[in-house]
């Protein structure tokens, strides 16, 4: 009968799925894993990236946004200039969530991170920036899966798959993450050198104290980013994780948790004049954050209106290499250093190179001038 045939078809399909999930035909020497830090670089963590901060014991900084200024390989920390007060913090990558990828004029291999767990599990916890293609959907609805991943420029995209746990030994053990990579290779035709699994899986991500996100990509409203205490063994159905994290944050002392009212540019500069030129505070517990508040002068580009802006060079010497783009008149600059009549700057607003060296004046004409203006 038709009912029996349908039942047999479903049974045969389930056997095929189980068999496929237990195998990986990618040659063992071509199976790759990436660390969480490597995955973040692929998701756009770098200089000029916009990031959210989460998971700090200095709770007043959690949930705030900033711009990445640089990276120190010695202490493995990223320097972030906070949007709300222009202070600088040095943070481990495990405290950062990329909101907008770093702007770069050079070629960059991008990362598409695919969570292969079920939809419900994805909605409860997932890695910020990941998309959800359930493992079963890859095999049961191949055309839908192919259509979804082709939205990306796959020729320059490394695909990283992850599940709750990883394939512990990628040369002998095959989990959902590695089997999904195998599908992307055999069915989607993605090359093995552009495929990887996430070392440690989501369980390792949470164990490191890295932020996770709740909800689906189609959800409206602000992103629900938080840090989880642990990854439940019975993972499906833990829809209260974000609520518990929110209640935990609300229980913090009011003077720490409550955000301060927005400040005007004038108020920000006035307060800055009351602070020492450089204040450093290091959290005593785990050195996870270093806060620097700078009393840095703000400059405005006042020259170059008739020439499309002023010249920017890579070094302090006027004979150093010239940057191709000019710094537009009206741009606001933060002073990073001075050498005679040369200014080392970081761009706050306006058009032009993000940083470099410019002349304060040319002959008797000012090119940049100190200003009370501030980029809020």
């Amino acid at each position: 009968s038709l009912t029996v045939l349908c039942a047999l078809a479903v049974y045969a399909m389930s056997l095929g799925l189980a068999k496929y999930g237990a195998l990986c035909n990618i040659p063992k020497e071509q199976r790759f894993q990436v660390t969480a830090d490597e995955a973040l670089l692929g998701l756009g963590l770098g200089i000029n990236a916009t990031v959210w901060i989460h998971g700090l014991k200095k709770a007043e900084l959690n949930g705030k946004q900033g711009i990445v200024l640089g990276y120190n390989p010695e202490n493995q920390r990223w320097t972030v200039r906070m949007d709300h007060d222009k202070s600088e913090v040095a943070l481990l990558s495990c405290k950062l969530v990329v909101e907008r990828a770093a702007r770069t004029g050079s070629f960059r291999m991008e990362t598409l991170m695919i969570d292969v767990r079920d939809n419900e599990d994805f909605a409860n916890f997932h890695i910020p920036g990941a998309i959800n293609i359930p493992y079963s959907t890859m095999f049961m609805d191949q055309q839908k899966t192919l259509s979804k991943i082709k939205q990306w420029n796959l020729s320059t995209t490394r695909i990283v798959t992850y599940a709750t746990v990883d394939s512990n030994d990628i040369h002998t053990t095959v989990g959902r993450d590695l089997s999904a990579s195998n599908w992307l290779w055999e069915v989607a035709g993605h090359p093995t050198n552009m495929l990887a699994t996430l070392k440690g899986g989501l369980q390792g991500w949470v164990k490191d104290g890295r932020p996770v996100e709740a909800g689906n990509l189609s959800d409206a409203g602000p992103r629900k980013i938080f840090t989880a205490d642990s990854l439940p063994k019975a993972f499906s159905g833990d829809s209260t994780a974000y609520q518990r994290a929110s209640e935990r944050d609300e229980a913090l002392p009011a003077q720490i948790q409550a955000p301060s009212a927005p400040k005007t540019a004038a108020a920000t500069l006035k307060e800055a004049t009351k602070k020492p030129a450089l204040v450093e505070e290091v959290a005593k517990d785990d050195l996870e954050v270093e806060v620097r508040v700078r009393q840095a002068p703000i400059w405005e580009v006042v020259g170059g209106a008739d020439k499309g802006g002023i010249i920017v060079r890579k070094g302090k010497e006027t004979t150093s290499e010239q940057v191709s783009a000019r710094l537009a008149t009206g741009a606001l600059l933060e002073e990073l250093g001075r050498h005679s009549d040369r200014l080392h700057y970081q761009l706050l607003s306006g058009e032009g190179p993000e940083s470099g060296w410019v002349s304060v004046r040319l002959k008797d004409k000012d090119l940049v001038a100190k200003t009370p203006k501030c980029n809020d």
Side-chain angles (χ1 to χ4, degrees):
S1 68
L2 180 59
T3 303
V4 174
L5 289 174
C6 289
L8 288 172
V10 171
Y11 178 70
M13 186 176 295
S14 65
L15 287 177
L17 176 60
K19 180 180 179 182
Y20 199 98
L23 297 174
C24 179
N25 296 320
I26 298 176
K28 292 182 178 180
E29 67 276 7
Q30 295 180 34
R31 301 177 188 180
F32 304 105
Q33 282 190 324
V34 296
T35 65
D37 284 343
E38 290 169 339
L40 277 174
L41 291 175
L43 290 171
L45 179 59
I47 296 176
N48 296 322
T50 301
V51 293
W52 292 100
I53 294 176
H54 285 274
L56 293 178
K57 294 180 180 178
K58 293 182 67 65
E60 67 270 24
L61 293 178
N62 289 331
K64 292 200 166 47
Q65 195 176 75
I67 302 293
V68 176
L69 299 181
Y71 177 72
N72 185 344
E74 294 183 1
N75 60 16
Q76 299 182 340
R77 282 166 170 74
W78 295 86
T79 300
V80 179
R81 183 176 62 218
M82 305 305 299
D83 288 348
H84 68 288
D85 63 1
K86 305 307 176 189
S87 64
E88 294 178 13
V89 295
L91 302 167
L92 295 170
S93 66
C94 61
K95 308 302 179 184
L96 304 177
V97 175
V98 177
E99 172 70 14
R100 188 169 59 249
R103 300 189 302 274
T104 176
S106 58
F107 171 81
R108 181 174 69 86
M109 186 69 67
E110 297 185 355
T111 291
L112 170 61
M113 187 170 285
I114 300 179
D115 187 319
V116 301
R117 299 170 304 131
D118 295 337
N119 297 122
E120 184 180 7
D121 291 341
F122 180 84
N124 295 337
F125 284 65
H126 62 265
I127 294 174
I131 67 169
N132 183 216
I133 303 180
Y135 175 75
S136 57
T137 302
M138 289 187 173
F139 302 100
M140 307 297 282
D141 196 342
Q142 295 189 4
Q143 291 304 316
K144 180 179 179 180
T145 303
L146 288 170
S147 176
K148 189 168 186 176
I149 65 173
K150 285 181 179 178
Q151 298 176 34
W152 281 264
N153 181 9
L154 296 181
S155 64
T156 59
T157 300
R158 165 174 262 189
I159 301 178
V160 176
T161 55
Y162 75 87
T164 303
V165 295
D166 70 343
S167 297
N168 296 337
D169 184 342
I170 59 175
H171 299 300
T172 58
T173 307
V174 178
R176 286 185 295 173
D177 54 347
L178 186 53
S179 186
S181 282
N182 187 70
W183 185 94
L184 290 164
W185 175 56
E186 289 191 327
V187 179
H190 209 56
T192 58
N193 64 345
M194 302 279 277
L195 290 168
T197 59
L198 178 65
K199 187 174 181 64
L202 183 61
Q203 183 170 274
W205 185 278
V206 171
K207 186 177 180 180
D208 287 345
R210 296 177 182 274
V212 292
E213 187 168 7
N216 290 303
L217 300 180
S218 58
D219 291 349
R223 298 175 68 180
K224 298 178 180 179
I225 300 174
F226 62 105
T227 52
D229 294 326
S230 63
L231 192 63
K233 292 182 180 179
F235 195 70
S236 295
D238 187 21
S239 58
T240 62
Y242 176 69
Q243 182 64 32
R244 292 200 313 273
S246 299
E247 292 172 353
R248 181 186 64 208
D249 289 345
E250 289 174 0
L252 294 170
Q255 67 270 23
I256 294 180
Q257 184 62 21
S260 57
K263 300 175 182 177
T264 64
T268 301
L269 287 176
K270 183 177 180 180
E271 182 180 348
T273 60
K274 299 178 181 179
K275 300 174 181 177
L278 179 63
V279 177
E280 294 190 1
E281 179 183 352
V282 179
K284 296 180 181 179
D285 42 22
D286 57 0
L287 299 180
E288 66 183 4
V289 58
E290 180 181 350
V291 182
R292 298 185 183 93
V293 180
R294 292 185 180 277
Q295 182 186 326
I298 306 300
W299 297 72
E300 181 177 6
V301 179
V302 295
D306 57 338
K307 297 181 179 179
I310 64 174
I311 293 174
V312 179
R313 296 187 182 275
K314 294 184 177 181
K316 61 185 178 183
E317 295 81 8
T318 56
T319 55
S320 63
E321 183 180 351
Q322 180 178 331
V323 179
S324 58
R326 288 182 173 239
L327 196 55
T329 304
L332 294 181
L333 318 174
E334 178 184 10
E335 180 181 316
L336 299 180
R338 285 283 302 276
H339 181 75
S340 186
D341 278 346
R342 299 284 289 168
L343 172 70
H344 188 203
Y345 76 88
Q346 177 75 37
L347 183 65
L348 293 178
S349 67
E351 298 182 359
E354 290 291 333
S355 64
W357 289 80
V358 296
S359 295
V360 174
R361 62 183 58 84
L362 181 62
K363 297 182 179 179
D364 295 330
K365 185 177 181 181
D366 287 339
L367 299 181
V368 294
K370 289 185 180 180
T371 176
K373 296 180 181 179
C374 182
N375 182 38
D376 285 333

